[in-house]
């Protein structure tokens, strides 16, 4: 029996799963925490990976390995392969002004047509501009730039030579200087942002192994969203993932060109595309509100379930860490519609769940191919019973919730099995996955309008229109 390992090196932790390559049966797993913060020494990821591997019983019997990781993070290396400065993570918004500069210099349409993205603070290209402008001495030492999963894969390969860095289409497509239609880097955009060219990882094919001295076959790995899509066996469903960030993604045969920047034209792990909408504020909104209310996530869930739909007019706009969609990096959260009658723990808990889901729902219509497209809800936030039950009333459609799992790590493991036994498509893993549970509820009238009213002063200052958020004059469409 061949075993494969999948890694999810996320913002908050590292998870490792070991699965049977043929059936997908889970054999063992392990995890370790990452430090808090929006900039991290990559060595912390390496230490966490080592701990998680040990917790998963080691890899002595593993035939192939794949690493999936948080997208966009900027890891800068000198010519000897040493890390120049702590990595800036996707949720570090210090490059917001740089993103605005890059968009103004070339135009949003030019960026969208070139790479399927419009610069925001999350993307690597904006972080490179920030580094060049704010830390020129460190920038002068940079010889190569890569992403978190690239760096970990490189370390696992046994190489310390920067020209041996590798990546895949899904993660490269989130840099802002890679065209996933031609699978080539746009070095002109890299130079425009940073001021000079750099070594960038070689982009491997979907099931092309890394040339490594490791004791196992090393797969190309990928970005976390693409890996989760593969791990959940989504096929053509729309996947809503509620983790540190909130994402909505669906597989496509072409790259979208969206000058508003709402839809990112990412690639997937199979050679196709994965148009995606991302928000900064998802499951941690629930953590924060539970903490201020002196309860835990289960307690928050029970409170939210006891409140009526719409929380009696109480509306939370959850821009706790700024926001990415819409692009409002300096925004803050707000609670609206407070009255003596509705300011109760139950209504506040309900407003937190609805507000988080409404933020994610802002991009849902843009990605649904039809009103009947199946919605799949995954991620840590989906483990909340209140989230599962309330989501249909916010999205305006039923949602399917698969059993809880480490779907990013599972997708990486599935890719590792594919590299181990190449074929036209990734292997189908049906054993032990369990059946998805369907949740349905009628849409809550007026919910979307109240949310837009609460966010209005941010949206107006940013020039965001109701139409760009789904519906003329603030009228929500089905699926919102």
């Amino acid at each position: 029996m061949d075993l494969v390992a999948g890694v999810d090196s996320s913002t908050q932790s590292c998870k490792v799963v070991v699965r049977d390559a043929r059936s997908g049966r889970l054999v063992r797993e392990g995890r370790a925490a990452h430090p808090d913060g929006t900039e991290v020494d990559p060595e912390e990821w390496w230490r966490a990976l080592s701990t998680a591997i040990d917790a998963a019983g080691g890899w002595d019997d593993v035939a192939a390995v794949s690493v999936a990781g948080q997208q966009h993070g900027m890891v800068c290396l000198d010519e000897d392969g040493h890390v120049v400065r702590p990595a800036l993570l996707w949720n570090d918004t210090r490059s917001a002004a740089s993103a605005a500069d890059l968009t103004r210099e070339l135009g949003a349409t030019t960026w969208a047509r070139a790479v399927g993205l419009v610069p925001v603070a999350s993307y690597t290209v904006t972080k490179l501009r920030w580094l060049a402008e704010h830390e020129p001495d460190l920038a002068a030492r940079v010889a190569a730039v890569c992403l978190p999963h690239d760096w970990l894969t490189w370390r696992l390969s046994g190489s310390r030579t920067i020209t041996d860095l590798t990546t895949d289409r899904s993660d490269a497509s989130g840099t802002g200087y890679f065209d996933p239609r031609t699978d080539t880097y746009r070095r002109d955009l890299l130079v425009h942002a940073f001021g000079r060219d750099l070594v960038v990882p070689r982009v491997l094919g979907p099931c092309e192994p890394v040339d490594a001295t490791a004791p196992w076959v090393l797969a190309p790995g990928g970005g976390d969203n693409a890996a989760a899509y593969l791990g959940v066996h989504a096929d053509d469903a729309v996947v809503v993932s509620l983790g540190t960030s909130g994402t909505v993604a669906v597989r496509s045969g072409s790259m979208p060109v969206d000058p508003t920047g709402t839809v990112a034209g990412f690639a997937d792990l199979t050679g196709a595309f994965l148009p995606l909408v991302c928000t900064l504020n998802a499951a941690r909104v629930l953590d924060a509100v539970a903490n201020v209310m002196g309860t835990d996530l289960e307690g928050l869930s029970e409170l939210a379930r006891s409140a009526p739909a719409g929380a009696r007019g109480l509306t939370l706009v959850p821009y706790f860490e700024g926001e990415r969609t819409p692009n409002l990096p300096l925004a803050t959260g707000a609670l609206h519609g407070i009255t003596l009658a509705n300011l109760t723990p139950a209504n506040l808990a309900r407003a937190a769940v609805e507000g988080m889901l409404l933020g994610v729902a802002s991009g849902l219509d843009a990605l649904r191919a039809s009103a009947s497209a199946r919605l799949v809800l995954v991620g840590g936030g989906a483990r909340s019973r209140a989230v599962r039950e309330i989501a249909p009333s916010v999205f305006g459609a039923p949602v399917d919730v698969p059993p809880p799992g480490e779907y990013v790590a599972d997708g990486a493991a599935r890719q590792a099995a594919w590299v181990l036994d190449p074929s036209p498509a990734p292997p189908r893993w049906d054993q032990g996955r369990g059946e998805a549970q369907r949740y349905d509820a009628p849409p809550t009238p007026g919910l979307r309008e109240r949310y837009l009213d609460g966010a209005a002063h941010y949206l107006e200052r940013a020039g965001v229109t109701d139409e760009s958020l789904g519906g003329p004059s603030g009228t929500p469409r089905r699926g919102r």
Side-chain angles (χ1 to χ4, degrees):
M1 176 179 68
D2 283 333
L3 299 180
V4 293
V7 176
D8 171 15
S9 183
S10 71
T11 313
Q12 299 181 33
S13 63
C14 180
K15 283 83 69 176
V16 170
V17 299
V18 176
R19 291 187 173 272
D20 175 58
R22 184 174 297 275
S23 68
R25 179 179 61 87
L26 179 65
V27 177
R28 54 187 191 265
E29 58 187 325
R31 64 184 298 143
H34 284 161
D36 290 333
T38 61
E39 62 175 350
V40 175
D41 181 353
E43 286 293 336
E44 295 284 357
W45 301 331
W46 182 251
R47 284 190 282 270
L49 174 58
S50 300
T51 301
I53 292 171
D54 289 343
W59 285 353
D60 289 345
D61 55 351
V62 166
V65 172
S66 174
V67 179
Q70 53 181 303
Q71 291 187 262
H72 316 313
M74 181 185 71
V75 183
C76 291
L77 307 176
D78 65 18
E79 60 183 10
D80 296 318
H82 299 130
V83 175
V84 170
R85 72 170 325 280
L88 295 183
L89 307 189
W90 64 274
N91 56 349
D92 190 299
T93 59
R94 72 186 71 183
S95 61
S98 300
D101 289 343
L102 289 170
T103 302
R104 183 175 57 254
E105 289 161 9
L106 299 182
T109 300
T110 296
W111 283 100
R113 289 175 176 171
V115 293
L117 310 175
V118 177
V120 295
S122 299
Y123 299 145
T124 317
V125 69
T126 72
K127 300 180 190 301
L128 285 171
R129 169 60 71 86
W130 180 90
L131 180 64
E133 292 183 336
H134 291 83
E135 297 180 350
D137 291 343
L138 291 178
R141 294 175 48 203
V142 177
V145 62
C146 63
L147 302 171
H149 118 259
D150 307 340
W151 187 82
L152 286 169
T153 300
W154 179 65
R155 288 291 300 270
L156 287 170
S157 76
S159 175
R160 294 299 176 271
T161 304
I162 58 175
T163 53
D164 289 339
L165 286 162
T166 59
T167 191
D168 84 303
R169 293 175 67 250
S170 72
D171 227 3
S173 67
T175 61
Y177 44 84
F178 178 79
D179 182 352
R181 295 163 300 189
T182 60
D183 290 346
T184 56
Y185 284 105
R186 287 292 304 264
R187 291 185 177 273
D188 57 323
L189 299 178
L190 174 60
V191 171
H192 179 82
F194 192 63
R196 59 184 173 87
D197 204 0
L198 296 170
V199 172
V200 289
R202 183 168 67 89
V203 181
L204 301 176
C207 57
E208 180 183 355
V210 176
D211 184 10
T213 60
W216 356 261
V217 175
L218 194 55
D224 52 359
N225 292 301
Y229 200 87
L230 194 68
V232 80
H233 285 64
D235 299 324
D236 294 321
V238 178
V239 175
V240 179
S241 179
L242 303 175
T244 303
S245 64
T247 62
V248 186
V250 64
R251 190 172 183 270
S252 173
S254 60
M255 184 190 81
V257 175
D258 180 9
T260 72
T262 300
V263 180
F266 295 154
D268 76 345
L269 293 187
T270 70
F273 297 86
L274 194 69
L276 182 142
V277 177
C278 179
T279 67
L280 286 184
N281 301 281
R284 287 198 289 190
V285 171
L286 306 184
D287 293 331
V289 175
N291 181 64
V292 80
M293 293 175 64
T295 187
D296 56 15
L297 292 177
E298 184 176 353
L300 185 81
S301 177
E302 290 308 306
L303 283 168
R305 295 179 63 239
S306 71
R312 298 195 186 279
L314 199 62
T315 303
L316 178 69
V317 179
Y319 297 161
F320 289 6
E321 294 188 294
E323 191 45 83
R324 170 172 164 176
T325 305
N327 184 23
L328 302 167
L330 303 180
T332 54
L335 190 63
H336 293 271
I338 303 172
T339 68
L340 288 173
N342 69 15
L343 190 57
T344 66
N347 286 330
L348 179 57
R350 178 89 186 200
V353 173
E354 291 177 341
M356 178 195 69
L357 291 169
L358 282 161
V360 175
S362 294
L364 191 54
D365 273 354
L367 291 181
R368 293 184 68 188
S370 69
S372 61
R374 186 168 69 100
L375 299 183
V376 176
L377 186 66
V378 299
R383 298 185 182 187
S384 163
R385 183 177 176 184
V387 169
R388 298 194 300 270
E389 293 177 351
I390 294 170
S393 68
V394 174
F395 297 156
V399 298
D400 291 337
V401 183
E406 299 295 350
Y407 286 110
V408 175
D410 289 347
R414 190 177 173 207
Q415 184 198 59
W418 192 18
V419 172
L420 199 60
D421 184 17
S423 60
R428 297 294 304 183
W429 282 353
D430 297 317
Q431 181 173 326
R433 291 177 55 219
E435 294 295 324
Q437 185 172 357
R438 174 155 290 194
Y439 292 82
D440 200 0
T444 302
L447 196 61
R448 179 64 177 158
E449 292 90 336
R450 287 197 284 108
Y451 182 81
L452 284 174
D453 287 344
H457 74 287
Y458 293 126
L459 303 180
E460 289 168 1
R461 283 163 52 190
V464 179
T465 64
D466 287 355
E467 287 83 355
S468 69
L469 292 176
S473 303
T475 301
R477 303 172 184 170
R478 177 164 176 83
R480 283 285 173 211

